[in-house]
Amino acid sequence: VTAELIDGRKIADALKEAVAAEITTLRAGHRRCGLATVLVGDDYGSRAYARRVARVAAELDVHCESVELPGDASRGEALAAVERLNADPAVSGVLVLRPLPPHLSEVELFGALAPEKDIESVHPVNAGLLAQGIPRFVPSTAASVFHLLDSWLDEAGEDRARFYHRSLIVVVGRSNNVGKPAISLAHDRQAAVTSVDEWASTEGRLGRYTRQADVLVVAAGVAGLITEEHVRPGAVVVDVGINPVRDAAGRVHLVGDVDLDQARRRARAITPVPGGVGPITDVWLVRNAVRAAASQEEGPR
Ligand code: NAD
């Protein structure tokens, strides 16, 4: 059996059309919408992400400011950048890219974001709303995982509720910005949920958990972590990982956390990297900035 490849780009294109329609409605009401990314330092993945977001924003004709600070920027400089964006009426949504350099506190910087502009729900108030199942903004990566699954189910003619209610979703990776939000969204769909992180791998028990998964969501940031032996026959595998690897000629390629060729032998359906979750994430972020603009005009929640 060879698994179906789920085409994230096609799903992203459909989402982009829907967001374009929302932007048209927003503009008809003479409302402003814009987003800003804040990159501190020069992390490869973060820079690539900021570039992709800027490209999608340009395609949708949404104002996008890319703020870049040097890796040795002080706490005061980083906070000042966030505060300036909080106060800028041309910016409805702000994304502070991770990882931050070790001398800066994520908790402090995320806590300084205006909650109504915090389109990744990293401010403690927004993270709390998300955990309670009443998100102000659904963070882009986890949202994309479930938008992709929902879209695939619709395309396959399967009833979403029935599918989720009968499924065990295993999420590998438990970061605040990907794994934990994905767990919250799986709970919201009333699925059974298992959360696994690196300690399961260290203890040699990763496969024991992942082999139970009807839906396996992998967001560990470890190239090739998931092989054939980790996949239950007939599972749906969603690979969130984006890992730069250098080939023999010195060129950098992006690969996922799942060994696609191996996992395909067992899975029912699987997402490629690139071309799976990533393209949807970029559009979702712009969507959140558009929604932020709409709700800001209506006043604070
Ligand atoms: P992170 O480093 O903050 O968190 C990784 C998590 O995985 C941690 O909980 C860690 O315990 C766990 N983990 C690490 N090694 C493991 C192992 N061997 N076995 C099991 N669990 C392990 O990373 P993150 O920000 O959550 O991102 C995860 C991956 O997703 C990265 O590759 C990142 O580039 C990618 N990412 C993709 C998108 C997208 O749009 N597709 C968006 C954001 C992040």
Side-chain angles (χ1 to χ4, degrees), residues 259-271:
D259 183 319
L260 184 74
D261 290 337
Q262 287 204 27
R264 269 194 105 171
R265 292 186 207 131
R266 287 211 183 163
R268 172 182 170 195
I270 191 165
T271 63

Side-chain angles (χ1 to χ4, degrees), residues 135-206:
R136 178 185 263 141
F137 300 111
V138 184
S140 58
T141 310
S144 302
V145 168
F146 283 93
H147 183 68
L148 179 140
L149 284 168
D150 291 346
S151 304
W152 176 75
L153 288 167
D154 293 350
E155 182 96 349
E158 281 208 42
D159 183 77
R160 289 185 194 180
R162 192 173 146 78
F163 176 85
Y164 288 120
H165 295 173
R166 295 164 58 100
S167 290
L168 172 67
I169 301 182
V170 177
V171 181
V172 180
R174 202 182 284 161
S175 70
N176 283 341
N177 69 319
V178 185
K180 282 184 198 164
I183 292 159
S184 292
L185 299 188
H187 284 154
D188 292 348
R189 283 165 174 74
Q190 320 302 342
V193 185
T194 298
S195 162
V196 184
D197 78 355
E198 64 182 304
W199 306 114
S201 285
T202 310
E203 295 295 330
R205 294 166 77 90
L206 183 63

Side-chain angles (χ1 to χ4, degrees), residues 110-111 115 118 121-132 134-136:
F110 292 168
D118 167 32
S121 282
V122 293
H123 186 285
V125 167
N126 291 338
L129 290 169
L130 175 70
Q132 289 179 342
I134 45 169
R136 178 185 263 141

Side-chain angles (χ1 to χ4, degrees), residues 8-299:
R9 292 202 176 98
K10 191 170 133 196
I11 297 169
D13 283 344
L15 183 66
K16 211 183 287 175
E17 274 181 37
V19 177
E22 287 188 33
I23 294 168
T24 304
T25 307
L26 196 72
R27 296 229 166 101
H30 303 289
R31 293 174 175 189
R32 298 170 81 178
C33 157
L35 86 157
T37 57
V38 181
L39 175 68
V40 189
D42 199 23
D43 179 71
Y44 180 92
S46 303
R47 181 174 290 282
Y49 186 27
R51 234 188 348 250
R52 290 197 331 250
V53 168
R55 192 168 56 224
V56 173
E59 282 168 22
L60 287 164
D61 194 23
V62 166
H63 165 74
C64 180
E65 181 179 346
S66 306
V67 177
E68 294 194 12
L69 299 177
D72 61 356
S74 69
R75 169 179 170 269
E77 286 166 335
L79 284 169
V82 166
E83 273 150 26
R84 179 179 69 73
L85 296 168
N86 283 346
D88 184 348
V91 171
S92 53
V94 180
L95 166 71
V96 178
L97 290 145
R98 293 174 63 250
L100 292 171
H103 68 281
L104 295 177
S105 156
E106 264 184 24
V107 174
E108 185 176 37
L109 214 56
F110 292 168
L113 282 166
E116 65 278 9
K117 294 192 178 186
D118 167 32
I119 49 177
E120 277 292 85
S121 282
V122 293
H123 186 285
V125 167
N126 291 338
L129 290 169
L130 175 70
Q132 289 179 342
I134 45 169
R136 178 185 263 141
F137 300 111
V138 184
S140 58
T141 310
S144 302
V145 168
F146 283 93
H147 183 68
L148 179 140
L149 284 168
D150 291 346
S151 304
W152 176 75
L153 288 167
D154 293 350
E155 182 96 349
E158 281 208 42
D159 183 77
R160 289 185 194 180
R162 192 173 146 78
F163 176 85
Y164 288 120
H165 295 173
R166 295 164 58 100
S167 290
L168 172 67
I169 301 182
V170 177
V171 181
V172 180
R174 202 182 284 161
S175 70
N176 283 341
N177 69 319
V178 185
K180 282 184 198 164
I183 292 159
S184 292
L185 299 188
H187 284 154
D188 292 348
R189 283 165 174 74
Q190 320 302 342
V193 185
T194 298
S195 162
V196 184
D197 78 355
E198 64 182 304
W199 306 114
S201 285
T202 310
E203 295 295 330
R205 294 166 77 90
L206 183 63
R208 202 183 158 113
Y209 300 116
T210 59
R211 272 192 298 276
Q212 294 175 13
D214 299 298
V215 178
L216 179 58
V217 178
V218 192
V222 181
L225 177 68
I226 299 297
T227 60
E228 185 172 357
E229 58 147 339
H230 295 101
V231 180
R232 191 180 69 72
V236 180
V237 180
V238 181
D239 189 357
V240 180
I242 301 178
N243 308 293
V245 292
R246 211 171 271 282
D247 67 16
R251 283 183 300 254
V252 175
H253 298 269
L254 297 179
V255 301
D257 289 353
V258 178
D259 183 319
L260 184 74
D261 290 337
Q262 287 204 27
R264 269 194 105 171
R265 292 186 207 131
R266 287 211 183 163
R268 172 182 170 195
I270 191 165
T271 63
V273 175
V277 174
I280 308 171
T281 306
D282 308 339
V283 183
W284 196 278
L285 195 77
V286 178
R287 175 187 188 268
N288 277 358
V290 174
R291 299 252 164 126
S295 63
Q296 281 157 25
E297 301 275 339
E298 285 158 16

